[in-house]
Amino acid sequence: MARKGSRYVCQACGATQPRWAGRCESCGEWNTIVEEPIAETIPRALGPKARGRAIELVGLKGASEPVGRRRSGLGEFDRVCGGGLVPGSAVLVGGDPGIGKSTLLLQVAAALARAGAVVYVSGEEAVDQVRMRAERLGLAGAPVQLAAATNVGDVLATLEAGPAPEAVVIDSIQTMFIEVLDSAPGTVAQVRASAQELIRLAKRRGFVVLLVGHVTKEGVIAGPRVLEHMVDTVLYFEGERGHQFRILRAVKNRFGPTDEIGVFEMTSAGLLEVENPSALFLAERRGNVSGAAVFAGVEGRRPLLVEVQALLAPAAVGAPRRAVVGWDSGRLAMVLAVLEARCGLALAGNDVYLNVAGGLRITEPAADLAVAAALVSSLTGVPSSAGAVFFGEIGLSGEVRAVGQTDLRLKEAAKLGFAEALMPVRRPGKGRRAEGPRPAGGPAVREIGHLQDLVALFRGTAARPGARGRDRAGGSAGI
Ligand code: TYD
Ligand code: MG
């Protein structure tokens, strides 16, 4: 039982439990429950004095001022924020330690400082360290006002005094603490209270507050998830440590769409914007190798072409291995089962390795067809055509199902010089816009109705009788 005056709080999700446990019942994380003292602030029943004034209730329609957004000038960042930062809003930038959050925000701060006052409060690095980084990024000349501080009281006092800045960066919220609270910095109580105070001031004075939050698997530091409901915008900065590209993703945005991504490349001179991510992901592709297929994907609202690689090798004794990087292993198991059961391929005796090149993580079910193509190509030793892209979801009976944003995928494939697209059958149906003939210059469309049609292409055998396929007669060499 909790001792009097203390409670048990999960540092990952903020759930409160009556007693300590190894695993949080609410979010399922392990070793995240920490005992925290409860401040004795039990509210008494509201007396007549505490009653407020009646508020005016209004209709939904009314004249509202358009939000004036502040563009940082870093195009990829502005895109993810919905076209710029909204004054008075709070933005949380979450991500694994070492992924590049401080680098990104220093670049954003420097870009914003060209137009107005920007304060950068570093709780993790000393002033000299931040200066060295700025020097390396070539930003030392930017008029950013820098401070190394962790006491929220001091930060608030600084921001209260003088004219309000345009934007304030707090790096990171986990290092901030409020003196009157007993808990250690980084605990849910401290993180929440610190953020609350900073956000309140930001709303009052009309500056943008950008909070950095670390996410750790161990949950040693409070995950920024407890902050997600307090801020207006939540951005996640993702990427594989060993790879140079990074994706900034909006997961919540009260002022814009959440399906936007920004792509950056981490270089020795900081983060560079990548305007054409597909070219980056396909840069090291070697044509005419078996076991590879290009997936025409869509991340957020951006088309993204990426190579899926598969390797099948005879398994040694015991259960065969299934190793997946960048995709869902459950989905791989499903595609393998469908290939076995519906197409008669013998895969059970093979180790299967699947890799999404470049370190990208794909979550779209539309990648099924590209994965299947890579697997069949590896099994048969027949390379897929270097000029072909694949997309389509696979159902359990082996049917290839339609996916969204076909035109966007085809356009991107055409832009990168792909001549052919293997994709689901397009049916202009009820409630769906009938798509016209493919735009001139776009890739030739080859409709795959069933997974067997795909397998037949690699085997060089005739297509399944009765299968639908518009361009089959034309055929494509190389598949
Ligand atoms: P950092 O921004 O400190 O990460 P975070 O704030 O998310 O913990 O940067 C992390 C890594 O980025 C660091 O290991 C070194 C690398 N890096 C570069 O490759 N180039 C650069 O110009 C900078 C500043 C950092
Ligand atoms: Mg940092």
Side-chain angles (χ1 to χ4, degrees):
M1 279 300 284
R3 270 182 278 137
K4 197 168 178 302
S6 69
R7 58 183 184 171
Y8 294 86
V9 182
C10 171
Q11 302 299 299
C13 71
T16 310
Q17 323 249 359
R19 61 186 73 82
W20 190 87
R23 184 163 186 257
C24 171
E25 280 172 22
S26 179
C27 69
E29 290 284 335
W30 288 91
N31 295 326
T32 54
I33 311 254
V34 166
E35 184 179 355
E36 279 184 6
I38 306 174
E40 290 294 324
T41 49
I42 300 155
R44 290 191 204 99
L46 290 179
K49 265 196 204 150
R51 293 241 173 87
R53 283 174 292 120
I55 48 172
E56 188 193 352
L57 303 171
V58 295
L60 288 175
K61 217 171 150 196
S64 53
E65 285 176 37
V67 277
R69 293 173 185 275
R70 288 208 184 109
R71 288 185 174 275
S72 68
L74 227 67
E76 294 291 301
F77 181 81
D78 291 339
R79 172 210 292 271
V80 178
C81 295
L85 294 163
V86 176
S89 69
V91 181
L92 174 68
V93 182
D96 292 330
I99 207 71
K101 299 180 295 297
S102 303
T103 310
L104 175 71
L105 286 173
L106 190 58
Q107 288 184 234
V108 169
L112 283 169
R114 282 194 218 118
V118 177
V119 175
Y120 188 106
V121 180
S122 175
E124 291 182 353
E125 288 160 294
V127 165
D128 280 345
Q129 277 174 296
V130 182
R131 280 185 176 158
M132 260 159 59
R133 179 188 303 234
E135 189 79 47
R136 199 145 34 91
L137 298 172
L139 300 174
V144 174
Q145 295 168 287
L146 177 65
T150 50
N151 187 332
V152 176
D154 296 348
V155 176
L156 293 175
T158 314
L159 297 175
E160 285 268 17
E166 295 263 323
V168 175
V169 177
I170 305 291
D171 185 6
S172 66
I173 191 65
Q174 274 107 356
T175 54
M176 297 294 139
F177 74 97
I178 289 181
E179 252 169 327
V180 292
L181 290 181
D182 287 340
S183 7
T187 52
V188 168
Q190 283 286 7
V191 167
R192 199 183 275 158
S194 303
Q196 217 151 33
E197 291 302 321
L198 290 161
I199 292 169
R200 197 174 295 155
L201 187 65
K203 297 247 181 281
R204 188 151 61 74
R205 300 217 71 191
F207 60 78
V208 183
V209 61
L210 295 138
L211 307 172
V212 173
H214 292 299
V215 193
T216 61
K217 284 261 177 325
E218 298 77 29
V220 183
I221 314 169
R225 269 178 279 166
V226 294
L227 297 178
E228 283 185 357
H229 68 278
M230 291 167 58
V231 297
D232 301 301
T233 304
V234 180
L235 310 178
Y236 270 89
F237 205 36
E238 316 168 337
E240 292 283 329
R241 205 75 74 80
H243 289 96
Q244 79 278 30
F245 86 90
R246 302 280 182 269
I247 288 184
L248 187 66
R249 199 184 288 277
V251 296
K252 164 181 170 177
N253 196 350
R254 285 188 185 144
F255 305 111
T258 51
D259 52 2
E260 279 291 3
I261 63 160
V263 185
F264 296 89
E265 191 179 348
M266 180 62 100
T267 69
S268 56
L271 291 157
L272 292 187
E273 299 177 51
V274 178
E275 269 156 38
N276 189 351
S278 300
L280 173 72
F281 290 117
L282 295 177
E284 282 159 47
R285 193 167 64 101
R286 297 172 56 209
N288 248 14
V289 199
S290 67
V294 175
F295 167 50
V298 176
E299 277 286 335
R301 287 194 285 179
R302 275 178 107 173
L304 203 58
L305 264 49
V306 53
E307 189 180 48
V308 178
Q309 303 170 333
L311 179 66
L312 270 68
V317 282
R321 280 190 62 133
R322 304 278 187 251
V324 193
V325 180
W327 207 47
D328 180 33
S329 56
R331 225 139 171 118
L332 171 67
M334 188 206 80
V335 172
L336 288 169
V338 173
L339 281 169
E340 288 231 2
R342 309 289 181 195
C343 307
L345 298 185
L347 299 161
N350 287 305
D351 287 339
V352 177
Y353 302 92
L354 191 85
N355 178 37
V356 177
L360 188 71
R361 213 190 138 70
I362 310 179
T363 48
E364 267 194 295
D368 290 355
L369 195 64
V371 169
L375 289 168
V376 179
S377 165
S378 175
L379 184 76
T380 56
V382 178
S384 72
S385 160
V389 296
F390 297 80
F391 61 90
E393 185 181 343
I394 294 172
L396 286 183
S397 62
E399 81 277 16
V400 179
R401 310 175 71 109
V403 294
Q405 286 158 311
T406 301
D407 289 344
L408 197 61
R409 298 173 203 268
L410 291 178
K411 232 163 96 187
E412 180 77 354
K415 204 167 95 188
L416 283 138
F418 285 86
E420 197 177 12
L422 286 90
M423 51 175 274
V425 177
R426 296 205 263 188
R427 299 188 189 84
K430 218 166 101 186
R432 203 181 299 166
R433 186 170 52 88
E435 287 173 273
R438 67 187 163 83
V445 169
R446 185 188 283 244
E447 292 176 341
I448 307 281
H450 193 276
L451 205 46
Q452 284 175 358
D453 301 349
L454 183 82
V455 175
L457 292 173
F458 282 93
R459 284 191 169 147
T461 55
R464 208 166 55 100
R468 299 173 63 173
R470 220 172 36 186
D471 290 349
R472 180 160 300 120
S476 135
I479 289 198

